[in-house]
Amino acid sequence: MLDEQWMLPEGVDETLPPLAWQMEALRRKLLDHYRKRGYELILPPLIEHLDTLLTGTAQGLERQTFKLTDPASGRLLGLRADMTPQAARIAARRYGDRPTVRLCYLGSVLRTEPDNLGGPRSPRQVGCELFGVPGIAGDLEVLELLRSTLRLAGVRRLHLDLGHVGIYRALTARVGLDADDESALFDILQRKSHPDLADFARARGLRPRQAAAISQLMDLNGDVSIVARARELLKVGGEAVAGALDLLQRVVDELGRVAPRLDIHVDLAELRGYRYHTGIVFAAFVPGHGREIARGGRYDGVGAAFGAARPATGFSADLNELLRLGSTGAAPSPRTRKRR
């Protein structure tokens, strides 16, 4: 019973020497790098009014947000579960007069549930957000920052997963689903269940060509040749799908030019952050580690709720994971001790 008294909550960790010193060295190295690249450091508060914290597209974080009542005002407060929405608020409210804003951040977040099974609930989130640069220029800048972040952390054998949520959006827009049906279809695609999709298509009366195109998404994953294959199979999607595939191909080509050894995987059914992102999405993996170590993508218009809608893209990672997987740190996990 006494041992249980000193146990930390599930998914919540502490970092002790020498890993704490290694983490601090990595933190300084990354922030110095971002500063040289023109990114300004922000330090958002750990706690905010809940209605502000969950404004706009951040509503998707509601389930992951710890909530409490402020004794001083009686208002409902929330502990941040992700720093990206805070960066979007700061960019819109504090720098709305600037055409381009580059922000970086590093701090703890707290979640009621992990992003992935067995993942942490208290990551130390590090990331960069770029506001005001549309299209491929912004996407490539952020992807290069992601790659350089992982290099500085000593992460080797990087595997990059690429997708574009606009393809799925364009195909489902032609079907005309309500919110409940769209949610059900989204779940089917994440599970990549062809039988469930067939049942769904029959029940909703989808046209055969529409159902076939959505079904193809589940199988359109593999090396970079998938983009060319998708052009042939998804012609029913029209100009919107063609434009998304054009952009995806340009990103693939440019990455192939600047990083010819980079292992790139294309998955058109990978819709991480679908309700949040609007274009190119990406995630970084390393062999032997079952979950992504960094992720990001384009989320244009995120500042609209704060009065400054503009193009936006960015990425984030967990400093704990980078330290554990990189060669700059020791092999053991920063989840060092659960009790004293």
Side-chain angles (χ1 to χ4, degrees):
M1 186 67 181
L2 183 61
D3 285 345
E4 293 180 1
Q5 179 180 351
W6 305 110
M7 293 287 285
L8 294 172
E10 184 67 29
V12 176
D13 308 310
E14 58 191 5
T15 306
L16 307 180
L19 286 178
W21 286 115
Q22 295 168 358
M23 180 173 292
E24 174 62 13
L26 178 57
R27 183 192 71 86
R28 296 177 187 180
K29 184 188 297 186
L30 292 178
L31 292 183
D32 284 346
H33 176 62
Y34 300 152
R35 187 175 187 177
K36 291 176 182 177
R37 295 294 303 269
Y39 283 73
E40 299 181 82
L41 177 64
I42 58 172
L43 301 173
L46 179 63
I47 192 168
E48 293 194 39
H49 291 127
L50 186 66
D51 51 0
T52 300
L53 200 61
L54 300 182
T55 295
T57 53
Q59 293 174 9
L61 296 171
E62 198 276 336
R63 285 186 56 186
Q64 288 186 309
T65 302
F66 279 97
K67 307 169 186 68
L68 64 156
T69 302
D70 184 1
S73 66
R75 293 184 64 179
L76 202 57
L77 306 178
L79 294 172
R80 68 186 181 205
D82 190 322
M83 295 178 73
T84 304
Q86 293 183 301
R89 172 182 59 77
I90 290 171
R93 301 298 295 171
R94 303 290 187 176
Y95 304 104
D97 57 337
R98 293 191 190 179
T100 303
V101 180
R102 291 175 170 85
L103 300 178
C104 65
Y105 50 82
L106 197 159
S108 295
V109 299
L110 190 63
R111 296 165 182 165
T112 60
E113 57 188 29
D115 274 346
N116 303 287
L117 185 64
R121 294 197 299 158
S122 58
R124 288 182 175 89
Q125 190 178 26
V126 58
C128 295
E129 310 296 333
L130 173 59
F131 302 93
V133 180
I136 191 171
D139 296 328
L140 291 174
E141 179 175 328
V142 167
L143 280 165
E144 174 51 34
L145 266 178
L146 168 66
R147 292 176 54 243
S148 60
T149 294
L150 299 182
R151 284 198 304 269
L152 288 171
V155 174
R156 305 292 183 239
R157 299 179 63 192
L158 174 64
H159 169 109
L160 187 67
D161 203 7
L162 283 177
H164 195 305
V165 300
I167 296 170
Y168 173 73
R169 289 182 186 277
L171 292 176
T172 55
R174 289 173 169 261
V175 177
L177 302 175
D178 61 25
D180 289 341
D181 283 347
E182 184 178 337
S183 180
L185 181 58
F186 175 82
D187 178 65
I188 290 170
L189 258 72
Q190 294 309 284
R191 291 185 286 108
K192 297 189 176 181
S193 174
H194 286 285
D196 286 348
L197 178 59
D199 292 342
F200 178 91
R202 283 193 297 269
R204 273 63 172 190
L206 269 62
R207 296 175 181 174
R209 289 187 66 196
Q210 293 173 332
I214 296 173
S215 179
Q216 294 286 359
L217 284 181
M218 299 185 196
D219 300 320
L220 285 171
N221 59 87
D223 62 27
V224 295
S225 65
I226 286 296
V227 181
R229 185 180 172 203
R231 291 186 190 281
E232 297 299 317
L233 297 177
L234 301 180
K235 290 181 179 179
V236 67
E239 293 183 3
V241 169
L245 290 171
D246 285 345
L247 180 60
L248 193 56
Q249 185 65 63
R250 290 175 63 194
V251 170
V252 166
D253 291 344
E254 183 60 21
L255 288 174
R257 185 184 69 81
V258 300
R261 296 183 180 180
L262 179 62
D263 183 12
I264 301 175
H265 181 268
V266 176
D267 188 347
L268 300 188
E270 176 50 69
L271 302 172
R272 63 180 67 86
Y274 160 67
R275 293 174 179 82
Y276 184 71
H277 287 117
T278 60
I280 292 286
V281 290
F282 49 85
F285 296 85
V286 292
H289 189 65
R291 59 179 181 266
E292 62 200 27
I293 63 169
R295 65 181 177 186
R298 180 160 292 280
Y299 54 106
D300 290 347
V302 69
F306 303 108
R310 55 185 161 191
T313 184
F315 81 92
S316 65
D318 180 1
L319 196 67
N320 293 336
E321 292 279 80
L322 298 187
L323 183 66
R324 183 165 72 89
L325 296 170
S327 60
T328 59
S333 166
R335 297 182 172 193
T336 52
R337 296 182 186 176
K338 288 292 185 182
R339 56 186 169 194
R340 296 183 187 275

